[in-house]
Amino acid sequence: MSDGHVHTAGQAHQPIAKDEHELTYFEKRVVALTNLLREKGIITIDEVRRAVEEMEARTPTLGAKVVARAWTDPAFKARLLGDAKAAVAELGLSTDGINHLVVPENTESVHHVVVCTLCSCYPRPLLGEPPDWYKSAGYKNQIISNPRAALKEMGVELDEKVEIRVLDSTADVRYLVLPRRPPGTEHMREEQLAGLVTRDSMIGVAEALAPAPR
Amino acid sequence: MPNRFKEGDAVRVKFEIRPGHIRTPMYVRGKTGIIAAYYGSFPNPEKLAYGGDGLPPVPLYGVRFHLSQLWSDPSLKDILQMDIYEHWLEPA
């Protein structure tokens, strides 16, 4: 392309569909920056596309592998709680872009839940992009002001004896919650267990799924 | 930069109003907490955000607060833990 502009999805020379909306201020800025970086030969469109594809290929199934291994291998779990980045690397998973990874363990007596009140810090290499609600002012406000009520509203009713710890991820640390292993899963293999580990359970706003009845 | 605080130390978050890419949310400024973890030192993001190198790296802690104190509501029993860089903390 030598015509100096970027074609975004749905924009062709012969438009077949009308764009859904005018570009917002930030979208325009992204397009302008991308064009400048291309013109100066710093990046290519292909590199941008590949970066987006890599980003979108990351899903919570990666984090679920980590959790399922921790549930089935006590030595791995000990290493994970001690030095999470090193333990995750053992599974061949990348934590590039995370400066410091911490895996807090949910137990009978402590329940962790993660928020980023300043922006949207999130363990993206292991969970993908955060859900919209995670970035909403409503979630942020409710979880830091009354986490017990907020969790109840999201379907997690905790015993009064369980201490809730809200982790406000403001800096270089990213948190991946290790949910409790559901009862009745003793017979299950690691790969089957991974299917019970949801995104929300690794943020701490849900428990892991109950196994299907046998 | 050696870390000034260790686990269990009581600290107060400085109450300062600064412009820019500040990583200490308003709602904990002026509040007292306990050091729960020391994570190591990291280039200062408040300088990195403006093209600086962020050096020297600053110690980063997990600081634990009681929600009851944070919101002056004794009915709250739970805990909030936040990552805070050392230059925002002073002994309490």
Side-chain angles (χ1 to χ4, degrees):
Chain A
M1 282 193 293
S2 58
D3 50 357
H5 70 274
V6 173
H7 292 150
T8 54
Q11 248 185 337
H13 281 124
Q14 302 291 324
I16 51 167
K18 199 170 158 21
D19 271 350
E20 280 173 20
H21 64 285
E22 292 272 307
L23 290 184
T24 64
Y25 171 79
F26 284 106
E27 286 167 338
K28 283 178 189 162
R29 205 153 88 163
V30 167
V31 171
L33 273 171
T34 309
N35 284 341
L36 274 173
L37 290 166
R38 274 181 61 217
E39 279 165 26
K40 289 180 182 293
I42 297 169
I43 58 167
T44 66
I45 288 302
D46 200 45
E47 284 172 332
V48 174
R49 177 178 23 250
R50 267 183 282 144
V52 170
E53 281 172 355
E54 271 169 36
M55 240 187 305
E56 289 178 347
R58 299 183 305 202
T59 72
T61 54
L62 301 170
K65 282 185 193 169
V66 177
V67 170
R69 175 67 60 88
W71 281 348
T72 51
D73 180 344
F76 174 80
K77 184 173 115 178
R79 294 196 295 278
L80 183 69
L81 301 183
D83 181 350
K85 263 179 86 89
V88 168
E90 287 177 34
L91 303 185
L93 300 176
S94 165
T95 52
D96 284 356
I98 296 183
N99 288 333
H100 192 75
L101 179 66
V102 170
V103 174
E105 183 188 14
N106 283 351
T107 65
E108 280 179 355
S109 51
V110 182
H111 181 96
H112 298 87
V113 56
V114 184
V115 65
C116 169
T117 57
L118 290 178
C119 46
S120 53
C121 297
Y122 190 74
R124 286 174 169 78
L126 297 171
L127 294 186
E129 293 305 296
D132 285 344
W133 59 257
Y134 183 81
K135 299 181 270 187
S136 71
Y139 172 69
K140 295 177 184 186
N141 287 337
Q142 287 167 27
I143 206 76
I144 64 167
S145 53
N146 192 341
R148 201 162 285 268
L151 286 175
K152 192 174 170 183
E153 223 168 273
M154 298 176 94
V156 181
E157 211 159 333
L158 294 163
D159 191 278
E160 269 202 25
K161 284 177 288 201
V162 178
E163 178 180 280
I164 299 172
R165 289 188 195 152
V166 180
L167 300 166
D168 193 348
S169 179
T170 50
D172 289 272
V173 185
R174 296 292 174 273
Y175 298 96
L176 181 82
V177 173
L178 177 59
R180 295 172 67 191
R181 180 170 174 168
T185 57
E186 296 73 15
H187 62 286
M188 291 174 74
R189 287 179 292 108
E190 186 179 330
E191 297 72 33
Q192 299 172 304
L193 287 167
L196 304 178
V197 185
T198 62
R199 174 194 70 195
D200 288 4
S201 72
M202 292 180 279
I203 302 174
V205 297
E207 309 273 13
L209 299 176
R214 282 206 281 179
Chain B
M1 194 164 150
N3 50 312
R4 182 181 175 193
F5 302 110
K6 58 181 193 315
E7 271 183 46
D9 285 354
V11 288
R12 186 177 306 103
V13 185
K14 293 178 187 170
F15 192 90
E16 287 177 9
I17 310 291
R18 295 188 206 161
H21 185 71
I22 298 301
R23 303 312 297 168
T24 299
M26 205 62 203
Y27 74 94
V28 297
R29 295 188 207 171
K31 304 289 182 181
T32 300
I34 300 288
I35 302 283
Y38 166 59
Y39 295 122
S41 291
F42 298 88
N44 186 351
E46 295 172 1
K47 292 181 177 162
L48 282 179
Y50 299 98
D53 59 11
L55 301 176
V58 281
L60 179 65
Y61 303 94
V63 183
R64 212 165 268 185
F65 303 91
H66 285 283
L67 286 175
S68 55
Q69 288 175 14
L70 223 42
W71 306 119
S72 306
D73 178 349
S75 76
L76 298 171
K77 305 289 180 210
D78 297 304
I79 296 289
L80 182 129
Q81 186 172 315
M82 184 189 289
D83 312 328
I84 304 181
Y85 296 96
E86 186 171 282
H87 57 276
W88 276 94
L89 300 172
E90 57 194 12

